[in-house]
Amino acid sequence: MSLFSNTAVLLSKELRTEFRSRELLTTTVVFILVVLILFSFAISPTTEESREFGPGLLWLAILFAASLMLQPCFLREQSNDTLSSLRLAVSDPFSIFLAKLIANTLFLLLTELIMLPFFAIFYNVPVLPEFHWLILVLFLGSLGISVAGTALSAISAQARMRELLLPLLLLPLLTPVLVVSATVTVSLFEREPAVKGKGIAFLAVFDVVFLTALWLFGEYLLEE
């Protein structure tokens, strides 16, 4: 129970900090909307082209948003040596990762929900017919991005070139998740939508494997 109680306390801290300032969400939403608008004017997609290229651009915009969102994840804890204090305050160090992971996933999903109506308008893609499946794919993909990104953020926060290190580590690791997520999303936007069970299963397995690895090695990441 200590894991969940510690996680709940730390999660409430993360949520209060963000919703009090709104700096991260506001910056991410504005940035991702600018990216979608620029892509829509640059490509000028028709309805058929949007069904093919739209999902790839959607997940590319999500990747940009995640990069902005994950960068300061552990940087805030560097001031006044807050991370060391958190490690002493909690009985299970994994609760620190779990709280930040849940917060990052929630922030990313909120950004995506704000982005979806604009995506549907700019790219002439109907998102409502398969909305429940789309939300599932967005959740699994966002969770995978958050798990890997939170772990790498803990590593890069203590490095000298932290601003450059996180994207360099994140992009190769997340390539399978982005490719599979875009492929599954394409099938949902087709004229005859189809749900690719293997793609959804791959995303679920990726999330479980990396979450387990974070649980096993998270304490060592905090020590480094």
Side-chain angles (χ1 to χ4, degrees):
M1 292 299 293
S2 60
L3 171 63
F4 297 105
S5 59
N6 290 335
T7 301
V9 173
L10 294 175
L11 177 60
S12 64
K13 178 188 76 71
E14 294 287 335
L15 296 179
R16 286 197 307 269
T17 301
E18 176 54 35
F19 286 112
R20 187 178 301 155
S21 63
R22 298 187 182 90
E23 294 179 0
L24 190 60
L25 282 174
T26 303
T27 304
T28 305
V29 170
V30 171
F31 177 80
I32 203 171
L33 289 179
V34 170
V35 170
L36 288 177
I37 293 173
L38 288 177
F39 281 155
S40 67
F41 282 107
I43 298 177
S44 186
T46 62
T47 303
E48 292 299 326
E49 290 176 340
S50 297
R51 295 177 189 273
E52 297 178 5
F53 302 116
L57 298 177
L58 174 66
W59 281 99
L60 185 61
I62 292 174
L63 175 63
F64 289 158
S67 299
L68 283 177
M69 194 170 291
L70 293 168
Q71 185 72 56
C73 180
F74 277 89
L75 290 180
R76 291 191 294 256
E77 316 300 345
Q78 296 296 319
S79 60
N80 299 323
D81 205 15
T82 308
L83 185 59
S84 298
S85 302
L86 288 178
R87 290 175 58 193
L88 294 174
V90 299
S91 56
D92 191 344
F94 180 64
S95 59
I96 300 175
F97 280 105
L98 190 57
K100 290 186 175 296
L101 167 63
I102 296 174
N104 289 333
T105 304
L106 290 176
F107 294 151
L108 195 54
L109 285 173
L110 180 59
T111 303
E112 292 163 0
L113 290 177
I114 296 174
M115 174 187 62
L116 275 180
F118 296 94
F119 174 77
I121 294 172
F122 292 142
Y123 294 89
N124 301 314
V125 176
V127 298
L128 291 179
E130 300 295 329
F131 184 73
H132 55 295
W133 287 110
L134 181 59
I135 289 297
L136 177 61
V137 176
L138 288 174
F139 170 73
L140 292 176
S142 300
L143 181 59
I145 293 173
S146 296
V147 172
T150 302
L152 294 178
S153 178
I155 297 174
S156 63
Q158 304 177 50
R160 291 183 179 179
M161 302 177 64
R162 58 178 66 95
E163 292 81 5
L164 181 61
L165 184 61
L166 179 61
L168 288 178
L169 295 175
L170 196 61
L171 292 177
L173 187 61
L174 292 182
T175 298
V177 175
L178 297 173
V179 171
V180 173
S181 298
T183 303
V184 176
T185 308
V186 167
S187 66
L188 295 178
F189 287 160
E190 292 178 349
R191 289 194 173 275
E192 296 182 0
V195 180
K196 292 190 174 182
K198 291 183 178 180
I200 294 178
F202 173 85
L203 293 176
V205 170
F206 181 94
D207 295 345
V208 171
V209 169
F210 274 79
L211 188 58
T212 303
L214 185 60
W215 173 59
L216 293 174
F217 303 107
E219 184 175 358
Y220 301 102
L221 295 180
L222 292 178
E223 289 179 357
E224 293 296 328

